Amino acid sequence: MSNSDRVVLVLGGAGTVGSGVVKALLDKGFKVAVISRDDSRLERLRSFVSPNTKSSLTTVVGNVGSEDGAEQVKQALLKEVGKVTDIVSSLGFSWWQGGPPHTQSLKDLHWVMETLLYSTFVSWKAFFPLVRDSSDCTYTFITGGAGEKLLMPGTGFLTVGAASSLAFCQVLREEYPELPCKLNQVKINAGVGTPERMAPGYLNHLDLGEAVAALVERRKASHTVFTINCPADLKTALLEGSL
């Protein structure tokens, strides 16, 4: 399949990381679909992408955080685009610093887990069947490194939620060892920002988007974790095509 024949569903595509991925995929000639509960975020995304690619972007308002909601939005999406050939999952949030565990409630923990793990699981369950049986298809998770250590005091629940996401990706790699679909994970151990909101050591979301788009385009690797620790790693990935 040529890029123009492929339809990439970017879960979390209206966020900082996801928007960079969406723009890069569109610039490479892919058709792209994005789901969000917030139409205003979808409108900002439509304004952000290259003007000449807007016709290749499909946006759908829906909720992938519940099983019923994910199934409903899946049917609505398929009516719009007909098929999905690739999925990039960039769900959740990049930061949480609500305080030490003894100051939090069970409701707080449930919200973190729902955002970082449950939505990832529910969307996987809904959309995985669309791509699982074809070697021409891909499913790429974008995760963070916060699950491997406490980033700073007060971020404990972020560590718990991020660790759950990392564990879920590991489970999928090992539960589906012979999967025809190319299943990969991009683990980012650094902050990600837009060009106007960069900080030392941060990755530019546009550069990260280019790297992820290249991984989706090539369809060579599978059951692989690609780790990016710093801007130098990302530059190497872009120059050498190591993703």
Side-chain angles (χ1 to χ4, degrees), residues 194-209:
T194 58
E196 63 274 11
R197 299 188 67 179
M198 295 293 288
Y202 269 44
L203 309 179
N204 187 316
H205 79 140
L206 297 174
D207 294 337
L208 180 60

Side-chain angles (χ1 to χ4, degrees), residues 65-82:
S66 70
E67 289 179 309
D68 289 342
E71 283 297 329
Q72 289 174 7
V73 76
K74 179 174 75 171
Q75 297 307 318
L77 176 64
L78 291 175
K79 284 185 179 180
E80 289 280 340
V81 300

